[in-house]
Amino acid sequence: MSSSLKLISSILQRKEHHNCGDSPLQRPHGDACPPVDPALTSFANHPALVELRMLTAAAQRFGIGNPFFKVHEGRGGSVTSIEGKEYLNFSHYNYLGLNGHPEVNAAAAAAIERYGTSVGASRLVAGERPIQRELEKELAAIYGVDDCVVFVSGHATNVNTIGTLFEPGDLILHDSLIHNSVLEGIKLSGATRRSFPHNDLKALEALLASLRSQYRRVLIVAEGLYSMDGDLPDLPVLVDIKQRYGALLMVDEAHALGVLGPTGRGSAEYHRLSGNDVDIWMGTLSKTLAGCGGYIAASRDVVDILKSSAPGFVYSVGIAPPLAAASLAALRIMLREPERVRRLGERGALFLDLARKAGLNIGNAQGYAVIPIILGSSRKAITLSNQLFAEGINVQPIIHPAVEEKAARLRFFVSALHSACDIEQVCRLLVRMVH
């Protein structure tokens, strides 16, 4: 059923419901409601708030402070300004240094002049703007697939795509380190979920061998570049497995676009695969592409389903013109200037080499833009983050429950804007403070 028919159907159903005389909300006059626990009429004792207060109190007791929610007073590149002081910055995703690039800014300004700052409604209701479709067509071309659809949020892209395409009776297998947005999408879908140990494709194949025949559609989900550990899956093997078991494959390219491959086209280019080897390419606009939002590049069938049925597209405002224009300009610069991709690779490899030689725990990192320094406790991670901040280095800790307590870490995002001296400086400080 098309979205317009769904809208009409839902309105009619609501009318029928409101016309019914036996609504459970209708009570005889004067019939009192049962007493309600006062704690349930506010959020003061909500479990999430209670936990936050406990963590805040513990941090104050240990004197480690709060490293989060710092106010950055300008563009976040290789440096950033916080409370009037300049810091060497490793906490932003500005992989190719395109956020704030004059050409990107000019494209956004021109889009505002032509279209304003908003498209006013969902694309189903308000129609489309040329800049939205231009971005989608050029993203589809990056992967060599039929089409692409852009959502206004990267997180919502995974939630809506998985929640729309899969349902009870389906099976979704995912890497144990997959992003939260994938897990939320699986919940929404109602499909059965199973995880396999990180990058353990033999374990994945064992799951498929025992479970495939029990389900209708089966989806495998992996990341092109893992955002916490900075390592890659063996994508050609994943493609082979999905083909042999009649499964579908989805790859989250959020941290791979602009980072992997000689021209930054991501996992397909890096692994020398055809775009059609993967059924669903997902990516975000907020990292390499200096914007905000997410996209799905896939077959025309997949894109048509999402544009007509995904709630986060049908019922959400379309991507703002300046954001679409900024990401399109960034994409074109990436393709025109592959030296940015090469320089990013050199800086990441340098960081990896220096950290490894210094005996720092970098886990499985492979030197592609994301470098973790694993410290083994949330307290250590927060303390080291604060110590580095005092030395003019801005890097955020990743703590439990985002990762296991034993995997608490500092996560460094390397940019093409960082110099070799920047990398050497932070590694010297890490050696001194960790050892």
Side-chain angles (χ1 to χ4, degrees):
M1 184 185 296
S2 71
S3 293
S4 54
L5 290 176
K6 285 182 180 177
L7 288 169
I8 294 168
S9 175
S10 66
I11 292 169
L12 291 174
Q13 288 172 7
R14 287 199 297 270
K15 282 183 177 288
E16 288 175 2
H17 175 75
H18 287 309
N19 288 335
C20 290
D22 58 351
S23 168
L25 296 179
Q26 295 178 354
R27 294 179 177 274
H29 181 69
D31 195 14
C33 289
V36 176
D37 183 348
L40 300 178
T41 62
S42 80
F43 295 99
N45 294 305
H46 191 284
L49 185 59
V50 171
E51 183 180 13
L52 175 62
R53 286 171 176 158
M54 289 174 60
L55 291 172
T56 302
Q60 290 174 343
R61 187 165 61 251
F62 290 120
I64 58 178
N66 185 351
F68 306 110
F69 298 104
K70 295 184 178 79
V71 178
H72 296 253
E73 295 153 348
R75 172 166 51 106
S78 60
V79 296
T80 189
S81 178
I82 301 171
E83 295 185 352
K85 182 179 176 182
E86 192 172 89
Y87 291 83
L88 187 56
N89 186 33
F90 290 91
S91 71
H92 289 79
Y93 304 128
N94 193 9
Y95 291 137
L96 298 185
L98 297 175
N99 182 37
H101 186 287
E103 196 172 318
V104 173
N105 288 356
I112 291 174
E113 186 65 28
R114 182 175 179 183
Y115 303 109
T117 55
S118 172
V119 294
S122 76
R123 289 163 66 179
L124 191 75
V125 172
E128 300 190 325
R129 305 300 187 274
I131 195 68
Q132 296 167 328
R133 285 303 292 149
E134 283 182 60
L135 174 61
E136 288 170 339
K137 288 176 182 177
E138 295 198 23
L139 283 167
I142 287 287
Y143 293 98
V145 295
D146 293 345
D147 206 352
C148 175
V149 55
V150 168
F151 292 79
V152 294
S153 157
H155 189 281
T157 300
N158 274 334
V159 173
N160 279 270
T161 298
I162 296 172
T164 299
L165 295 177
F166 298 91
E167 58 190 2
D170 295 338
L171 172 67
I172 301 178
L173 304 170
H174 64 85
D175 189 286
S176 60
L177 298 186
I178 206 70
H179 193 266
N180 167 268
S181 55
V182 170
L183 303 180
E184 295 300 319
I186 298 171
K187 284 183 196 175
L188 181 63
S189 75
T192 299
R193 176 176 76 88
R194 295 286 186 274
S195 69
F196 54 92
H198 180 51
N199 275 339
D200 187 342
L201 303 191
K202 289 184 179 179
L204 166 64
E205 188 160 6
L207 283 170
L208 282 164
S210 64
L211 297 174
R212 177 64 187 94
S213 62
Q214 302 172 33
Y215 295 90
R216 297 170 64 252
R217 291 187 182 87
V218 174
L219 176 70
I220 302 165
V221 193
E223 294 183 25
L225 172 62
Y226 282 91
S227 60
M228 286 293 179
D229 286 59
D231 59 345
L232 315 180
D234 191 334
L235 195 51
V237 173
L238 274 172
V239 170
D240 175 66
I241 289 172
K242 79 103 178 179
Q243 290 173 342
R244 286 191 288 109
Y245 285 90
L248 299 160
L249 177 60
M250 178 176 183
V251 178
D252 183 332
E253 291 280 278
H255 295 267
L257 184 72
V259 176
L260 299 182
T263 64
R265 283 177 167 85
S267 296
E269 182 180 48
Y270 179 89
H271 294 283
R272 299 181 181 179
L273 295 170
S274 163
N276 292 318
D277 287 334
V278 169
D279 301 281
I280 305 169
W281 295 102
M282 178 272 174
T284 56
L285 307 178
S286 56
K287 282 84 175 173
T288 287
L289 298 185
C292 186
Y295 63 86
I296 295 293
S299 68
R300 188 155 289 111
D301 289 344
V302 168
V303 171
D304 285 347
I305 293 167
L306 296 177
K307 290 181 78 170
S308 66
S309 303
F313 185 88
V314 174
Y315 298 102
S316 172
V317 68
I319 185 172
L323 291 173
S327 290
L328 181 58
L331 185 65
R332 290 170 176 172
I333 295 169
M334 179 192 83
L335 296 175
R336 189 180 72 217
E337 301 178 7
E339 61 270 19
R340 290 176 180 269
V341 181
R342 185 176 63 252
R343 187 162 59 248
L344 172 62
E346 291 169 353
R347 299 295 180 263
L350 175 63
F351 199 130
L352 186 79
D353 183 56
L354 292 175
R356 183 178 282 144
K357 286 178 178 176
L360 298 170
N361 185 355
I362 55 173
N364 298 316
Q366 293 176 244
Y368 296 109
V370 180
I371 311 286
I373 303 297
I374 299 171
L375 299 162
S377 85
S378 296
R379 180 180 175 182
K380 287 180 181 178
I382 293 173
T383 300
L384 183 55
S385 173
N386 289 334
Q387 289 173 337
L388 287 167
F389 191 72
E391 295 283 346
I393 308 289
N394 181 56
V395 60
Q396 292 300 102
I398 306 295
I399 61 176
H400 181 78
V403 293
E404 294 181 77
E405 178 65 14
K406 65 182 180 182
R409 66 195 61 193
L410 298 185
R411 180 171 57 162
F412 289 83
F413 294 118
V414 181
S415 168
L417 297 177
H418 285 121
S419 69
C421 290
D422 294 336
I423 304 297
E424 291 163 358
Q425 178 186 347
V426 74
C427 286
R428 280 196 302 270
L429 284 169
L430 283 168
V431 169
R432 191 184 81 199
M433 293 176 177
V434 173
H435 297 315

